[in-house]
């Protein structure tokens, strides 16, 4: 596969997150496909990284395309070539441009086709979540990587909770038995907003299952060593009835609005249970229709339990916590177990202030982007390789299959083809 190695192999963990201020010798050339909210965020991140060039961009909406063009020019780079001849013009970009990687931030159905076009034209692909919509797409991505050595990765989806991972690796919680989290995010307004992601609503009309597993998976898979010593074995999935989108449409637009009565396939709440080959259990939730705060993360081990909350995280460790069977604040443990990679990540502030687009108000390069560019410069695999990325997103079509069969058990494919038994744990 062209000399590819695991990113960070042979480098001490405490050095993996460090940023250097020296101007890199090797320029990295990126093409962008899709420059909406998330795409513009990734574009602005890339523009703030020394040695990254953006010679080509592809986008359907003229206002987004020309805003991106202006940002690139304002950053002091040459005017990029524009690809805007319809929804499949990404094929021309992949064929004509000399790029190290293509950055994919489009609506979901185009993710796998764009990644495949990049890989088949000698380019890597870094993609927003989810990577695939069908198992056939997953297998095609795996086989294309194995044939070409060019990868597709969900590295754009974020880095995961490294402190939580460090707690698990240091055996604070004992052997992990159960993990529960999910994508629990009220998206009713977003689904009815024509300027944000109107394509999301159609997925709710047509599909029923866990449609967005990747955000929780970025925490779940590393702590469970999925594809790196263990693997997903089978799942069962069940959805509630669907009423909330109809009620929202009626309350916002009136009872006569078409979506006030339109049948929605997607249940307002989906719960998917996943069992690993080594006997660990996952409860994966999906709820984008009901009023609620954002999700938390619960991980249970043989020695204790950790409940990560956005406001007040809690922990209980048998024999260590001051009161038996009572939560204590997790603050001291979070401080003690902060991952060395995060402790040592101190990149310089970006030029131009906070990152624009839909992402955050960070003023520093996110660590996942730092690691992505390092992998491209060093010709290494990204932290989330094609096997991990495909496995993460495959939960979506598999959960749909289970729901459609009255919650029957569905086997989860081994995209590593047996290599999970020997693969080094992620971020090790």
């Amino acid at each position: 596969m062209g000399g590819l190695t695991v990113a960070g192999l042979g480098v001490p963990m405490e050095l993996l997150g460090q940023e250097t201020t020296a101007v890199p010798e090797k320029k990295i050339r990126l093409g962008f496909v899709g420059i909406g909210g998330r795409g513009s965020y990734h574009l602005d991140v890339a523009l703030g990284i020394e040695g990254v060039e953006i010679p080509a961009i592809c986008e359907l909406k003229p206002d987004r395309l020309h805003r991106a063009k202006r940002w690139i020019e304002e950053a002091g780079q040459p005017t990029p070539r524009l690809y805007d001849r319809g929804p499949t013009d990404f094929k021309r970009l992949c064929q004509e441009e000399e790029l190290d990687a293509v950055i994919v931030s489009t609506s979901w159905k185009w993710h796998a086709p764009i990644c495949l076009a990049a890989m088949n034209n000698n380019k890597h692909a870094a993609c927003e979540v989810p990577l695939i919509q069908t198992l056939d797409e997953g297998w095609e991505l795996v086989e294309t990587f194995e044939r070409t050595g060019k990868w597709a990765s969900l590295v754009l989806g974020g880095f995961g909770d490294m402190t939580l991972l460090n707690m698990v690796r240091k055996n604070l919680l004992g052997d992990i038995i159960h993990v529960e989290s999910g994508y629990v995010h009220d998206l009713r307004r977003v689904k009815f907003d024509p300027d944000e992601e109107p394509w999301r609503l159609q997925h709710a009309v047509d599909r029923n299952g866990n449609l967005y597993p990747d955000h929780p998976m970025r925490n779940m898979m590393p702590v469970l060593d999925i594809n790196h010593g263990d693997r997903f074995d089978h799942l069962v999935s069940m959805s509630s009835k669907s009423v909330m989108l109809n009620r929202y449409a009626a309350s916002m637009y009136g009872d006569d609005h078409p979506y006030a009565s339109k049948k929605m396939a997607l249940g307002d709440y989906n719960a998917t249970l996943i069992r690993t080959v080594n006997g660990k259990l996952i409860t994966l939730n999906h709820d984008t229709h009901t009023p609620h705060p954002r999700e938390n993360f619960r991980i249970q081990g043989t020695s204790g339990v950790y409940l990560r909350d956005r406001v007040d995280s809690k922990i209980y460790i048998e024999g260590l916590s001051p009161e038996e069977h009572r939560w204590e604040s997790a603050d001291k443990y979070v401080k003690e177990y902060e991952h060395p990679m995060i402790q040592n990540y101190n990149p310089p502030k970006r030029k131009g202030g906070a990152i624009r687009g839909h992402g955050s108000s960070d003023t520093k390069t996110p660590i996942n982007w730092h690691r992505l560019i390092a992998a491209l410069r060093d010709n290494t695999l990204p932290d989330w390789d094609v096997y991990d990325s495909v496995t993460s997103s495959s939960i979506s079509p598999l959960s749909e299959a289970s729901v459609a069969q009255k919650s029957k058990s569905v086997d989860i494919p081994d995209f590593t083809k047996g290599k999970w038994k020997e693969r080094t744990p992620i971020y090790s």
Side-chain angles (χ1 to χ4, degrees):
M1 295 183 192
L4 286 170
T5 61
V6 177
L9 188 64
V11 180
M13 179 62 78
E14 62 270 16
L15 299 180
L16 286 179
Q18 291 186 356
E19 177 97 6
T20 117
T21 55
V23 177
E25 293 183 3
K26 181 180 178 181
K27 301 292 186 182
I28 296 298
R29 294 166 60 84
L30 303 176
F32 278 71
V33 181
I35 321 172
R38 286 297 286 169
S40 61
Y41 168 81
H42 294 307
L43 174 64
D44 205 29
V45 171
L47 289 171
I49 301 175
E50 195 74 48
V52 172
E53 299 176 345
I54 303 168
I57 53 178
C58 180
E59 168 61 50
L60 289 174
K61 294 188 175 181
D63 57 332
R64 294 177 177 178
L65 186 73
H66 289 282
R67 178 186 61 189
K69 171 179 172 291
R70 185 180 74 249
W71 286 7
I72 294 168
E73 292 170 339
E74 290 171 351
Q77 296 196 21
T79 298
R81 285 171 290 282
L82 308 183
Y83 292 82
D84 58 355
R85 299 179 187 172
T88 60
D89 208 24
F90 64 85
K91 295 180 181 179
R92 191 165 60 95
L93 178 148
C94 292
Q95 291 166 356
E96 296 181 359
E97 297 291 336
E98 292 186 10
L99 304 169
D100 294 284
V102 174
I103 308 301
V104 185
S105 303
T106 62
S107 56
W108 298 348
K109 74 174 184 177
W110 294 110
H111 286 184
I114 296 169
C115 289
L116 288 165
M119 297 161 76
N120 282 314
N121 284 279
N122 201 36
K123 300 163 180 65
H124 301 299
C127 188
E128 266 293 343
V129 297
L131 184 60
I132 62 171
Q133 298 289 286
T134 69
L135 296 182
D136 286 345
E137 288 180 335
W139 282 115
E140 188 174 1
L141 284 165
V142 166
E143 289 161 5
T144 302
F145 164 67
E146 293 176 344
R147 174 173 53 82
T148 66
K150 296 300 176 180
W151 45 258
S153 171
L154 289 180
V155 65
L156 297 184
F159 210 59
D161 188 334
M162 300 300 288
T163 296
L164 169 64
L165 180 60
N166 204 31
M167 288 180 183
V168 172
R169 296 274 166 86
K170 294 293 181 63
N171 205 38
L172 177 66
L173 303 175
D175 296 333
I176 303 306
I177 295 172
H178 176 238
V179 176
E180 179 172 5
S181 187
Y183 192 67
V184 180
H185 187 185
D186 184 357
L187 294 179
R188 290 172 294 174
R189 182 191 61 80
V190 171
K191 291 188 178 187
F192 283 95
D193 187 342
D195 293 323
E196 283 207 42
E197 298 171 337
W199 44 267
R200 276 188 184 262
L201 182 58
Q202 194 60 44
H203 285 277
V205 173
D206 296 335
R207 303 169 61 200
N208 191 10
N210 188 311
L211 304 191
Y212 211 57
D214 299 287
H215 278 306
M217 281 296 166
R218 68 187 178 192
N219 290 316
M220 290 178 165
M221 287 178 60
V223 300
L224 298 174
D225 290 329
I226 300 303
N227 288 345
H228 302 264
D230 198 358
R231 75 170 182 88
F232 294 145
D233 186 39
H234 62 276
L235 64 75
V236 294
S237 188
M238 182 178 295
S239 293
S240 74
K241 64 181 179 179
S242 179
V243 298
M244 294 302 296
L245 288 183
N246 297 129
R247 292 180 183 178
Y248 183 84
S251 66
M252 295 297 293
Y253 312 112
D255 292 336
D256 294 333
H257 190 276
Y259 283 100
S261 57
K262 187 174 184 63
K263 181 176 176 57
M264 302 287 177
L266 181 60
D268 293 329
Y269 196 98
N270 175 271
T272 299
L273 294 177
I274 306 171
R275 197 175 193 276
T276 77
V277 169
N278 291 340
K280 302 162 194 166
L281 179 65
I282 298 166
T283 303
L284 184 66
N285 303 310
H286 180 269
D287 178 358
T288 58
H289 295 172
T290 67
H292 52 251
R294 293 293 298 271
E295 71 282 349
N296 55 29
F297 189 100
R298 186 184 189 278
I299 181 166
Q300 178 70 60
T302 55
S303 299
V305 58
Y306 175 54
L307 180 64
R308 193 195 67 188
D309 185 82
R310 291 172 179 264
V311 178
D312 182 24
S313 295
K314 301 177 178 65
I315 198 168
Y316 175 76
I317 306 297
E318 189 172 47
L320 287 181
S321 293
E323 296 185 62
E324 190 173 2
H325 299 156
R326 288 188 179 273
W327 293 107
E328 63 172 310
S329 171
D331 290 350
K332 71 175 183 180
Y333 295 94
V334 169
K335 183 177 181 180
E336 179 181 354
Y337 286 88
E338 184 178 28
H339 199 286
M341 191 186 295
I342 304 302
Q343 288 176 342
N344 290 283
Y345 186 61
N346 188 31
K349 285 192 175 181
R350 297 163 26 86
K351 299 174 183 177
I355 302 168
R356 296 168 286 185
H358 176 67
S360 72
S361 57
D362 287 343
T363 58
K364 297 181 178 181
T365 300
I367 190 170
N368 61 308
W369 259 95
H370 163 76
R371 300 273 290 169
L372 167 62
I373 297 303
L376 291 170
R377 285 199 176 113
D378 297 340
N379 193 34
T380 60
L381 292 175
D383 296 303
W384 281 74
D385 62 18
V386 67
Y387 303 109
D388 298 324
S389 299
V390 165
T391 298
S392 174
S393 294
S394 72
I395 301 303
S396 183
L398 291 165
S399 70
E400 291 180 78
S402 179
V403 170
Q405 300 176 68
K406 294 186 177 181
S407 304
K408 286 185 179 179
S409 178
V410 173
D411 289 339
I412 301 174
D414 173 17
F415 290 101
T416 75
K417 305 173 186 176
K419 292 190 286 287
W420 62 272
K421 298 175 183 178
E422 289 84 28
R423 279 160 51 92
T424 303
I426 194 170
Y427 302 131
S428 64

